[in-house]
Structures are given as structure tokens and as C-alpha cells.
Amino acid sequence: MQLTKKKSPVNIKAALTLATTALLGTLPAAGHAQESSKVAELSSWDFDTAFLYYSESDRVSAAEAIINAKKTFENDQVLNLKLTIDSLTGASANGATAQPNVQTFTRPSGKGSYQTDKNTTPLDDTFKDTRVQLNAQWTQPLAENYTGSAGIHISKEYDYLSLGINGNLAYDFNNKNSTFSLGLSYFQDTFEPEGGIPVAFASMPSAFGSDENGNKALFDATRLTDSDDKTTADIMLGFTQVINRRMLMQFNYSYSKVDGYLSDPFKVLSLLDSNGYAQDYLYESRPDSRVKQSLFAQTKYHFEQNVIDVSYRYMWDDWEIDSHTIDSKLRVPLSSTSYLEPHLRFYQQTAADFYRPFLMQSNPMPMFASADYRIGEMSAYTVGLKYGMKLSDGNDLSFRLEYYRQNPKNAGYQAPDALESADIYESVDAIIAQVSYSF
Amino acid sequence: MSRSYFKPYRVSRRCYSVILLTVSLASGCSSLGVQPWERDLLAKDEMALTSSPLDAALDDHIYFSKEASSGGKSFGGGGCGCN
């Protein structure tokens, strides 16, 4: 992104620089600092900011703000600090199937219940969370043609803590036209969900309300622990190649191993009788490990004016999920200071081998099962448009508006009679709106 | 025959393809590229592989929480309880 060296007329940049340097403890002591060196230091931080609003029709909406501060030191050392704050509210599918009658579910906390109308996808409307994330990344040349980078990640929300570290080594060769890179990252996450971690396949208990002695004990009997952990170890091998003056390509191979608690404590499955009527709701159960691998290829091509960016990702894992993603953007300059960028993205995935839209009483219980549509068969697409401009003071402003649609599909499960008029694989529509400002 | 019977074969064939691709890229790419003075277009911000890092971070977060896949272009690891 173009980062101007010009000073903003409104002195937000100077104020933010002061705040950043004060936080880092690098602010020169007053009286010792020369005014000119102070100005030079103040002007060498670059800020990228973005505000995004994401809204699904009748479901979740989220607002997310990011501020990224970047400083380039002598010898091409780069420090990048990023603060992300997001807030989530709304309703999320709880995994149960629609029914020809009204359904009642216990809230995750056990302290109340909610109802779903007949022939309507059950949504748990208690989702509300705020998350704060901090990232710091240091990048520097290590030797001729070698660049190293290391970073830390902290993310905290009401019921979730994620700590991560990463390291990356890049080697340039062939006159810096080719680059090999090796990256490693490790995350340690702790999940402390409202109401605790449910026992796999336990029946959803009744809400205990004010009955602290009776139903509370029954509720607690369905809980395993208060919290659980998850670790994620990633390895990424990358190769970037300049093809010619107008074109470059990148290829990545990623291997990711996730261990620990991988279920969603808020998701259940409907246990249906032979006619399709729900007899019970059972908490889902996923394996405690997952190995994901992916191949990614991207190319950028500069036409006379326009720039096209096309990428493809093939992902597969040991849950038998395969996915294909094609992402493309075309940047069309409108003038020397503005551009339009249409965006198209197509996504398709197969279902995890333990995905079940519902369980049947007549069938033996599987070892693992989840009705989470996000690991079911699905296709999705995104259509978007971005408009960006350079302001008279040299700063960048852009707007992005996108439409995202998910179409869950039947992976070959025959629905019983009672579900005939229910939409088990309901589509999800979302609008994404974003404003970005760099200064 | 179970699906898992084929799994080692599938993985090894993919790994073989990756190695083959990498070797052929590394050996075939020495003739590709530009001279330092031909980098005028490549040096433009819009030609960076990730030309809008914040857009990419926001998109990664959305799709990580709504789909079963993540990463590929960058690390797709943990980070939030949204999935």
C-alpha cells in the first residue's frame, strides 16, 4: 500500500506516533531530543486503518476495526504493530434441524431457554462477544539474500484466549527474481465457554433458571470441564518467481496440525425418530486432531493499465474435507489518483466424514458427529467492488462493498417425512462493507 | 475397501507432485525474471502479492469463521474462537 511521507494536515499521525512510541518506551526524553530528530521520528511511522461491517440476514453481524502501525528503521528493519478489535452479535445456527413444530432449546449457560418457530432453522441468538487482538512482527535482513521475520500474536475475547508465535526465513536468488521461504507458526488457544465444555453426545439438559439445586445438578452432569485447549502448528513452504516485467507468481504448500478440543460446545445434533421428529438434542463430538494441507498458487499480471490478481487454493484434510477456492481481483485505474477493483471469489467444499445433518434413533451412534453446516458440503461465492483514491494530502482512502453467499448442500442424506417442508440446507447471505484509510 | 485404505497413496502422490513441481520450478526459473532496471511495474504497490494487507486480514477472519478451510496464502492457524 502506498505510504506517503507527507504530513497529514490534521495531526492524527503525530498523535498516534506519540502514543505508539510512548507505549514502546522509545519516546526520547524531553530536553535531550533535538526538535528536528523528533520530527523525523514522528514522521517515519505509517498507519493503515480499516473498519469493516459484516452482516448476515437474520443472523450474525460483526464490526471489526484494525489499526496497523509500521516503522522502517535503518538497514531495512521493519516493525509492524497491529491492533484489531471486533464485536460480534446476533444469532448462529445451533446445528439442530428445523421441525414441523416449535422447538425449545437451553441456552449455553443453562440459565434460560429460547424457542424456534416451526419449519425454521434453529438459531441461538445469545452470541455476543468482543475481541481484542495484538500482533507484533519484526522483519530484517539477516545476511545477503536472506530475510528473517518473527512475530507474536495475542487475542482475547470473553471466553477465548489465543497466544501465537511465528517465524519466517526467505532466501532470494536468481538476481532476486526467485524467492524460497519457510515459515513456522504455533498457536496455543484456551476456550472457556459459557456453561462449560459439554460431554460429547450428552443430551441437552433443561434450563435451570432459578432452580439452583434441582436442574442445576442435572445441567452440571452434562459438563466435562470449565475449559479446554487447542494447539495449532503450521509449516509453510513458499516459492515466488518473477516471470517478466509484467508478471509474477507465488506457490505455497502448507501443513497444519491442530490438536485438542476441536468441537463447538454450542452445537448440537437433532436425534430423530423414524418419522423425523426430534426426540433429543445431543452435543456434537469431533475428533481431537486434524491435519490440513493446502496448495496455493497466485499470479499477478500488469496489463497496460489494469492489474489482475488471480489465486487458487486446494485444501484437503484428514477429516476428508476437500476444498477449492478461486479468488480474483482486477484493479482498473479511473484516473492517476483513483481506481475501481471488482472482486470475485468462488469456494466449494466437501463434507467432513463425520458430518451429519441429524442423527436417527434407528441407526447406531457414530464415534463422531457434527451438524455444523460449516463442515458440511457447501459452495459459496463473493462478489464485490472496491473504490480507492489518493487524497490531495497524499493519503489513501478506499471503500469496499461485497456480497457473500453460502449455499450448503445435501451430502447424500435422505430426510425423513417430517422434514419434507423444512429447509435443512438453508443459504446464508451476508453483506461486507469496509472503509480503509492510510496515512 | 475402505476410504482410509487409499489415504497413504493419495498423500504420497500429492507429496510427489509437490516435490516435482518445486524441482521443476527451481530449475526452470533461472531463465525467467528481469534485470533490476526492469522493475518499474513490479515495484508498484498494486503489484505486491498482498497489495492490501488489511483487506486480506479481514477476509481471512471472515472465511476462517464461515468455512472449513483457512490459510494457504498465509498461516491459517488459530487466533480466535470464531471457528
Side-chain angles (χ1 to χ4, degrees):
Chain A
M1 195 164 284
Q2 182 64 47
L3 298 165
T4 175
K5 296 292 175 206
K6 281 187 186 174
K7 278 209 289 182
S8 168
V10 278
N11 230 355
I12 308 169
K13 184 168 180 166
L16 276 172
T17 301
L18 269 168
T20 314
T21 49
L23 277 172
L24 291 173
T26 55
L27 197 64
H32 291 283
Q34 297 279 329
E35 198 58 31
S36 58
S37 68
K38 208 172 181 177
V39 169
E41 186 177 3
L42 289 178
S43 61
S44 61
W45 281 91
D46 292 307
F47 295 94
D48 289 339
T49 63
F51 178 78
L52 174 132
Y53 180 69
Y54 171 92
S55 180
E56 295 173 358
S57 50
D58 304 326
R59 293 196 186 187
V60 164
S61 64
E64 185 159 352
I66 303 188
I67 178 160
N68 189 86
K70 180 180 164 187
K71 180 168 180 166
T72 305
F73 296 86
E74 285 177 29
N75 308 322
D76 293 329
Q77 297 165 324
V78 179
L79 175 64
N80 216 82
L81 301 172
K82 188 166 77 172
L83 171 69
T84 308
I85 298 173
D86 57 49
S87 165
L88 185 78
T89 53
S92 185
N94 73 1
T97 55
Q99 287 280 287
N101 50 280
V102 173
Q103 300 184 82
T104 304
F105 301 95
T106 303
R107 294 193 188 282
S109 65
K111 292 173 187 162
S113 56
Y114 58 95
Q115 290 195 321
T116 300
D117 288 341
K118 63 179 183 178
N119 294 328
T120 304
T121 304
L123 302 175
D124 179 354
D125 60 0
T126 45
F127 281 88
K128 191 172 173 62
D129 214 339
T130 302
R131 188 174 71 96
V132 178
Q133 179 187 320
L134 277 168
N135 291 80
Q137 194 81 23
W138 178 263
T139 306
Q140 68 167 69
L142 296 175
E144 196 178 349
N145 296 325
Y146 285 92
T147 307
S149 183
I152 55 168
H153 163 108
I154 303 168
S155 170
K156 177 72 185 122
E157 54 207 283
Y158 171 65
D159 58 0
Y160 204 89
L161 171 69
S162 175
L163 302 172
I165 51 170
N166 72 75
N168 192 79
L169 181 68
Y171 169 62
D172 297 318
F173 60 104
N174 181 21
N175 212 6
K176 289 193 188 295
N177 283 302
S178 309
T179 307
F180 267 127
S181 67
L182 168 68
L184 303 168
S185 94
Y186 185 80
F187 282 90
Q188 167 78 49
D189 296 0
T190 308
F191 198 5
E192 199 173 350
E194 182 76 36
I197 303 278
V199 174
F201 293 138
S203 295
M204 179 181 261
S206 303
F208 52 79
S210 57
D211 180 13
E212 288 284 335
N213 301 320
N215 284 342
K216 174 81 166 70
L218 292 174
F219 181 86
D220 289 344
T222 65
R223 307 289 131 168
L224 203 59
T225 56
D226 288 338
S227 69
D228 213 334
D229 300 334
K230 177 173 97 175
T231 60
T232 308
D234 284 358
I235 299 173
M236 181 179 288
L237 292 170
F239 178 70
T240 308
Q241 176 66 44
V242 173
I243 306 297
N244 56 37
R245 184 171 158 258
R246 296 183 177 278
M247 185 178 180
L248 76 162
M249 295 189 82
Q250 182 179 40
F251 303 90
N252 288 339
Y253 164 74
S254 305
Y255 179 93
S256 179
K257 188 166 189 332
V258 195
D259 288 293
Y261 183 71
L262 306 185
S263 298
D264 187 327
F266 308 130
K267 296 274 189 278
V268 294
L269 295 111
S270 299
L271 183 64
L272 307 179
D273 65 15
S274 56
N275 295 317
Y277 291 98
Q279 303 301 302
D280 205 350
Y281 307 110
L282 309 181
Y283 288 103
E284 69 160 45
S285 170
R286 304 187 193 191
D288 60 4
S289 82
R290 182 182 182 193
V291 174
K292 295 190 285 183
Q293 296 179 81
S294 69
L295 289 171
F296 171 83
Q298 181 189 6
T299 186
K300 294 201 79 154
Y301 189 88
H302 197 302
F303 294 98
E304 209 50 51
Q305 298 289 330
N306 304 344
V307 175
I308 192 165
D309 180 337
V310 183
S311 68
Y312 168 73
R313 175 185 63 184
Y314 174 57
M315 192 224 70
W316 69 99
D317 71 6
D318 61 352
W319 287 1
E320 303 293 342
I321 299 174
D322 282 9
S323 79
H324 302 273
T325 312
I326 298 172
D327 196 294
S328 61
K329 288 172 181 161
L330 180 69
R331 184 176 162 126
V332 182
L334 298 174
S335 68
S336 60
T337 56
S338 64
Y339 65 89
L340 269 183
E341 190 177 80
H343 176 210
L344 275 176
R345 179 183 185 271
F346 296 99
Y347 176 77
Q348 185 261 320
Q349 73 181 35
T350 61
D353 54 1
F354 57 85
Y355 169 80
R356 301 281 185 279
F358 44 77
L359 295 172
M360 299 297 292
Q361 276 183 322
S362 51
N363 294 342
M365 280 294 286
M367 186 179 270
F368 302 109
S370 170
D372 188 344
Y373 80 92
R374 297 173 301 174
I375 54 167
E377 190 169 326
M378 187 207 317
S379 66
Y381 64 85
T382 307
V383 185
L385 188 66
K386 182 177 176 180
Y387 171 71
M389 63 182 130
K390 192 166 281 301
L391 303 175
S392 56
D393 56 11
N395 297 337
D396 291 293
L397 178 66
S398 67
F399 302 91
R400 183 162 74 119
L401 188 64
E402 307 206 312
Y403 170 73
Y404 174 52
R405 185 181 173 90
Q406 292 182 304
N407 293 313
K409 293 194 169 84
N410 185 352
Y413 296 94
Q414 174 130 32
D417 296 344
L419 302 185
E420 244 166 30
S421 50
D423 187 2
I424 305 174
Y425 308 99
E426 197 178 15
S427 295
V428 179
D429 298 288
I431 291 289
I432 301 163
Q434 186 189 327
V435 182
S436 304
Y437 182 58
S438 298
F439 56 100
Chain B
M1 237 175 276
S2 73
R3 292 172 81 182
S4 60
Y5 177 82
F6 288 101
K7 225 161 70 178
Y9 171 70
R10 274 179 63 193
V11 171
S12 66
R13 201 171 71 165
R14 277 179 181 129
C15 286
Y16 179 70
S17 310
V18 172
I19 292 164
L20 193 73
L21 186 71
T22 311
V23 170
S24 50
L25 283 171
S27 56
C29 289
S30 56
S31 59
L32 297 171
V34 295
Q35 296 301 322
W37 58 87
E38 295 174 313
R39 287 185 175 265
D40 54 333
L41 298 178
L42 296 168
K44 290 165 85 171
D45 294 305
E46 53 265 38
M47 279 300 281
L49 284 164
T50 305
S51 46
S52 301
L54 295 196
D55 291 13
L58 290 163
D59 281 353
D60 282 352
H61 188 198
I62 291 171
Y63 299 124
F64 173 74
S65 24
K66 304 304 299 180
E67 296 171 353
S69 311
S70 63
K73 184 183 175 76
S74 58
F75 292 122
C80 63
C82 49
N83 197 356

